[in-house]
Each structure stands twice: as structure tokens, then as C-alpha cells.
Amino acid sequence: LTRIVIPQGVQSIAFSAFANCKSLQEVVIPDSVQSIGQDAFLGCDALIQIENGVYYVDHWGVGFDGLASEVVLKGDTVGICDYAFQNVSNLLRVTIPNTVKYICRSAFSNNKNLKEIIFNGTSAKWESVEKDIYWISYSDNVTIIFAKDANE
């Protein structure tokens, strides 16, 4: 199995759904997907694209190597999966593009040193992003900065 096209209408990809599919090289994720579970693509090394320490599958951020203190997500990112940036002790700042529509369960939880999330959009656009109730739990004193509000 090297390629999977998830059908339009599917809304979520379950925990460990494709874990350890080592030959998987491509997954097409439709716009209908609103959440991706923890470790859905764990061990899919041929599939994962890495850019600046962030692991991507299609247009979703699915993990982080934890080395950088500052992260800028790719401009075409549409979602951040469950637990993608959880427990990263040295993470101080994250920049999220205005293309993001979904931030899943505990995506940024338990990051004690995270101080800023810069959203490259307006506060109104940020409000439209579907965020799980626990998306940032146990990450205290995080300031959300709206890059576009400052310029309007």
C-alpha cells in the first residue's frame, strides 16, 4: 500500500489509523476532514514531510521534533492534529497561517514555556478556526497575537 485517497465526506482520521504503514508514500486528505487523531501516521516515514522540524501529511501538521524554540507553520497548513506540539518544553513561539481551519485535541497542551501564538490573520478569522476545547490545556500565559489586526 503506497497511496491512499480518503473519500470526501470523511470527517476524522482515527488514533493510529495508518500507524506503521511503512510503504505509504501519499495520503490525499479531503476538505471534509476536521480532525486527525494522535499517532495516525506514526512510523510512516516514507509519507511524512519535514520542514523546519514540523512533520506534515498533506496539508496537516502532525508532529514536531521538539528542537526549535520558534516554529512557523507552512502557509498552506489547514489543520494541526491531536497532540502535534504537546509537551515541548523549549517551545516559546508558534506562527500559524490564516489557512488553518482546525486545531485538534491537545495540539499545544502542556507547553509551560510557550508565550506567543502569532496568527497570520484577523481576530475574527481566528474565532472561526475550530479549536478543540483542550487544544491548549496546561499551557499557561500564552498570548495570541493577530498579525492582520495590527495592520488594519
Side-chain angles (χ1 to χ4, degrees), residues 24-25 41-68 70-77 84-85:
L24 191 58
Q25 296 175 17
F41 301 102
L42 181 70
C44 299
D45 296 341
L47 171 67
I48 304 290
Q49 300 296 313
I50 303 172
E51 188 173 309
N52 298 321
V54 179
Y55 305 157
Y56 295 94
V57 172
D58 201 6
H59 299 290
W60 280 76
V62 298
F64 178 55
D65 67 12
L67 299 178
E70 193 166 325
V71 170
V72 178
L73 295 175
K74 290 193 318 185
D76 62 352
T77 304
F85 292 88

Side-chain angles (χ1 to χ4, degrees), residues 40-147:
F41 301 102
L42 181 70
C44 299
D45 296 341
L47 171 67
I48 304 290
Q49 300 296 313
I50 303 172
E51 188 173 309
N52 298 321
V54 179
Y55 305 157
Y56 295 94
V57 172
D58 201 6
H59 299 290
W60 280 76
V62 298
F64 178 55
D65 67 12
L67 299 178
S69 61
E70 193 166 325
V71 170
V72 178
L73 295 175
K74 290 193 318 185
D76 62 352
T77 304
V78 297
I80 303 166
C81 84
D82 290 1
Y83 303 95
F85 292 88
Q86 181 192 37
N87 294 323
V88 183
S89 62
N90 62 320
L91 188 60
L92 303 174
R93 179 179 298 116
V94 176
T95 301
I96 298 175
N98 67 357
T99 55
V100 166
K101 298 186 223 177
Y102 310 105
I103 301 177
C104 298
R105 177 178 289 276
S106 298
F108 294 99
S109 68
N110 204 28
N111 287 309
K112 302 294 183 195
N113 295 314
L114 182 61
K115 299 298 177 210
E116 294 180 345
I117 293 178
I118 301 167
F119 181 66
N120 282 334
T122 64
S123 55
K125 175 73 172 162
W126 176 253
E127 290 304 314
S128 75
V129 174
E130 291 185 34
K131 297 176 281 294
D132 181 88
I133 191 170
Y134 301 111
W135 76 276
I136 197 164
S137 58
Y138 305 110
S139 294
D140 305 326
N141 302 314
V142 177
T143 302
I144 310 293
I145 298 169
F146 306 105

Side-chain angles (χ1 to χ4, degrees), residues 1-2 4 13-25 27 37-48 57 62:
L1 183 66
T2 60
I4 295 173
I13 298 172
F15 168 84
S16 296
F18 301 103
N20 297 311
C21 291
K22 299 198 181 298
S23 62
L24 191 58
Q25 296 175 17
V27 173
Q38 180 181 11
D39 297 335
F41 301 102
L42 181 70
C44 299
D45 296 341
L47 171 67
I48 304 290
V57 172
V62 298

Side-chain angles (χ1 to χ4, degrees), residues 24-43:
L24 191 58
Q25 296 175 17
E26 182 184 8
V27 173
V28 178
I29 301 172
D31 293 340
S32 60
V33 170
Q34 299 173 9
S35 68
I36 296 178
Q38 180 181 11
D39 297 335
F41 301 102
L42 181 70

